Amino acid sequence: MTDLSRRAALILAGAAAAAPGLALAADPALPTTWDLTRLYPSDAAWEAERQAVEAELPRLLAFKGRLGESAATFRAASEAISAVVKRQLRLFVYATLKADEDLGVAANQERRQTANALNAKVGEATAWVSPEVLAMGAAKVGAFLKSDPALAKFRFGYESTLRQAPHTLDDAGEALLAAASNPLNGPQAIRSQLVLTDIPWPEVEVSGRKLRLDLQGYSQARAAPDRAERKKVFDTFFGTFKRYESSLGAALGAKIDGDVFNARARKYPTALAAAVDGPNIPESVYRTLVAEANRGLPILHRYFDVRRRMLGLPDMAYYDLYPPVTKLDAKFDLAASRRISLEAMKPLGPEYAEAFARATAAPWVHVYPQKGKAAGAYVFGAAYDVHPYMLLNHTDDYESLSTYAHEWGHAMHTLLAQKAQPFELAGYPTFTAEVASTVNEQLLVAHMLKGAKTRDERLFYLDRVCEMMRATFYRQTMFAEFELAAHEAAERGEPLSGKRLSAIYLDLLKRYHGPKVAVEDTYGIEWAYPSHFFNYNYYVYQYATSVTAASAFAERILTGKAAERDAYLAVLKAGGSDYPVDVLKRAGVDMTSPEPYRTLLGKFSRTLDEMETLLG
Ligand SMILES: [Zn+2]
C-alpha cells in the first residue's frame, strides 16, 4: 500500500559521484549529516523493534479468512496491517540509510539484508488480503466502507484492488504467476553477467590516460574534448557490444516475451495496457507523448545545430552529444545552495517557503561524499512519523546545486503529503514523484537565468534547459518508442533477434537525431547499454511525462497568481490519495491532451531563439 521505492536523482543521473577526500568545510550552522537517532536511539533499539514487529506477524495472519465477517473485523484487520507496515517501513529506512553511509561496514550491510527479509515476511503475512478482498466483491467492501467513517483512509487502496479484479486470477493462477517470476527475471541476470563479467571491455587512451571502456568508463570517456577520441570511444564501446548482439538480443527478446506472457495471463490486450493499469494511467498518455515528441523533432534538430556551432564543428555526429559546450566557474557550497534554492522557490508561496527553510536547516541530509558512501542522490521518505531523509554527494558545482533543488522537491512533496494525508494515502507513485523534483529544477534554472550577468552565464543556463529537453524529454521518449515497437513485434508473433532489435533502435536513433547528425550503424546496439529495458517494463516514459508536467506547472507558477500556485501545491498534498493522472488534471494539467507537451516544446523553442540571438 505504500510505495517503497527510493527515488534516485533520475533527471540528473550521473551527477555527483562519490569522490573521497572532498569533505568540505561548510557553514557551521548547517548540519552536514543526518540524525538517525530520530528513527531509533541505537542499533540495539532497532533490533528490538524488528523483533517486536516480527512477533506481530502471526496476529496479521490470524485475520486470514475473516475479512468479510463484519465491518468491525474488516477495520481491525486493516488497522493492524497498516500499523505493522508503518513500523516495518521505519525499520527499513534506518537500515538503508545506515548501510549507505559506508558500504564497507559489514554489520550495516547485514542489517539491510535483515530489513529486506522483514519486508518479505510482512509481504507473506499479508499476501492473502487482496484475494480475500476480491472474493468479498465490490458490493460488500463498499457497504463496509460506507458503514464506518474510520475506514475512509482505506477506501482508495481497496478500490484499486477491486478495479483490477478482471485481471486477477484465482489462487492457483496467482500462485503460478508468482512462481514464474523467478525464471522470468532470468534475462535481467543474463545481461548483468555479460556486461559486468563476461564481456572483455577493451582499454582506450583518452586525454592521455588509459581507460577501461566498460559501462562506467564509457560514461566518463564519451565527453572527451577531442573529437577523434570521442569517435574512437563510441566505435570501440558499441563495437564491443555488437559482438554480443545475438546473446544480448536473445536475452532481451526473452524478457519481452515474458512481459507479453504476464499480460496475456492476466487477460490484458497488450503488455502496454498491463503496465499502465497499476497506477491507472490511460494508454493515451503514452501515445500522446510519443506523437507530440515526434511533432517536436525539428526543434531538437535545431538544438543539435546550435550545439554544432558552439563546439565549432563543421558537422555533427552522434558522438558529439556529450562534451560540454559551456562552462561555469561559480561554486555553490551547501550554504549557497540553500540560500539560492530558498530564493528560487519563492514563487511557491509562503507556506512552502517557511516549511522549506525549516527543513533545510534540520539534520535530515547526508551532504558530502565520504569514503564508502553510496553514490548519487535520493530522498527516502517512508518513515511517516519522523521526516524524509536525503542523501547527497555535494561537490559545490552547479550540478550539485541543481541536485539539491531536485531532491528537496522530493522531500517537500513527502513532507506536504504526509502533513495532509494519513499514512495509508501519503505515498505517491513514480508518475507524480518526478514532477515535484523537476518543478524545483525548473524554478531554479529560471531564477539563475534572471540573475545571470554575462553572455556566457546566460548560455550556460540556457544550455541546461536544452539538455534537460534532450536527455529527459526526447531521449526517454525515444526509449519509450523502442519499448513499444519491440513489445508490439513480440505481440504479433515476430521473432526478436539482436539484429532485429538493433534495426528498430537504429531507425529511431536516425529519426530522433535528424538528417544532420551522422549515426553509424554500429550504434544501433545502444539498446543493450541502459539496464532499464532488461529490468523494467514500460517505465522510462515517466521521465518524459514528468518533465512535461513539471514544465507546464513551472510556467503556470511563474506567470500565474495564487490560484495556479495553490493548484500545484494541491498536487503535492494529494500524495497517493488518487490516481496520478487525475491529480494532475484537477490542477489544470491534462496529460492525455497534447497541451502540456506543446507548452514544453514552446519553451524549448524560445530557449533556442535566445541562444541563437546570443550566438549572433
Ligand atoms: Zn528524482
Side-chain angles (χ1 to χ4, degrees), residues 259-288:
D259 294 340
V260 174
F261 162 80
N262 269 323
R264 285 184 179 159
R266 293 198 177 281
K267 305 187 186 73
Y268 284 102
T270 62
L272 175 61
V276 294
D277 196 37
N280 204 17
I281 312 279
E283 258 188 70
S284 59
V285 169
Y286 204 95
R287 299 190 190 278
T288 307

Side-chain angles (χ1 to χ4, degrees), residues 7-10 406-407 410 434 437:
R7 300 190 172 79
L10 302 166
H406 177 106
E407 296 305 328
H410 289 311
E434 292 302 330
S437 52

Side-chain angles (χ1 to χ4, degrees), residues 227 230 234 307 311 313 315-323:
R227 196 180 193 204
R230 284 202 298 275
F234 271 65
R307 253 194 98 78
L311 285 167
L313 296 174
D315 48 47
M316 272 290 277
Y318 190 52
Y319 46 79
D320 294 321
L321 293 188
Y322 297 99

